[in-house]
Amino acid sequence: MRMKLPEPMRIAFEEAEAAALRGEVPVGAVIADAAGNIIARAGNRTLELKDPTAHAEMLVIREAARLLGSERLIGCDLYVTLEPCAMCAAAISFARVRRLYFGAADEKMGAVEHGARFFGQATCHHAPEVYSGIGEERARTLLREFFKARR
């Protein structure tokens, strides 16, 4: 039986699919408040913006901080279709995100459960609660099909 995705993760997948249509790596992200209300949503835009930091996570963190008028996203949750990299994990920590939900693991560039395991480092000053594997198969399939089409 397939579990229904939380609404913020469903929207993150919409953003990932839109990114793929733009030729971007299909990763989508959403910031929601504690009640689940969507504050910001984005998909990768590194190619479009010619900006290596324009990962979906970075874009939603920037937009949520702007909208909330604070560099701290205390009480906010981040939903992202792929395990965050080290850059995004650091931003999540600095923003004091309450919970991180992600879809597919990223054995190559992920830094939450793979690689640097950023939140487990002694130098990490804030670690969110982490929930992985939310929509994992859908996220893996989306990425696999995207890269297969480019080979």
Side-chain angles (χ1 to χ4, degrees):
M1 180 198 246
R2 250 175 119 175
M3 256 180 75
K4 186 177 177 194
L5 288 176
E7 184 66 7
M9 186 60 97
R10 188 190 65 71
I11 293 169
F13 274 107
E14 287 179 5
E15 290 292 336
E17 290 160 359
L21 291 174
R22 294 190 303 272
E24 301 276 0
V25 175
V27 177
V30 165
I31 295 272
D33 66 17
N37 300 307
I38 307 303
I39 297 169
R41 56 188 286 173
N44 276 357
R45 292 188 179 277
T46 59
L47 299 174
E48 175 187 336
L49 299 176
K50 308 289 187 267
D51 179 355
T53 71
H55 290 193
E57 302 96 306
M58 299 295 285
L59 296 173
V60 294
I61 288 169
R62 288 177 189 142
E63 181 64 4
R66 185 186 71 76
L67 290 170
L68 296 173
S70 175
E71 74 282 7
R72 303 283 187 249
L73 303 179
I74 295 167
C76 292
D77 301 332
L78 172 62
Y79 295 78
V80 62
T81 57
L82 183 65
E83 178 180 358
C85 69
M87 172 184 69
C88 293
I92 291 164
S93 178
F94 292 147
R96 307 289 201 285
V97 168
R98 179 178 72 152
R99 294 184 183 130
L100 166 65
Y101 299 88
F102 71 85
D106 186 350
E107 292 84 10
K108 184 176 178 184
M109 294 297 295
V112 177
E113 293 182 347
H114 296 86
R117 298 177 189 256
F118 188 88
F119 302 130
Q121 299 300 316
T123 54
C124 178
H125 61 282
H126 170 79
E129 293 176 31
V130 176
Y131 302 90
S132 61
I134 315 297
E136 181 175 19
E137 187 55 40
R138 181 175 176 186
R140 265 193 269 137
T141 300
L142 185 60
L143 287 158
R144 192 176 320 119
E145 289 175 0
F146 175 82
F147 287 112
K148 183 178 179 184
R150 273 142 187 78
R151 289 188 185 109

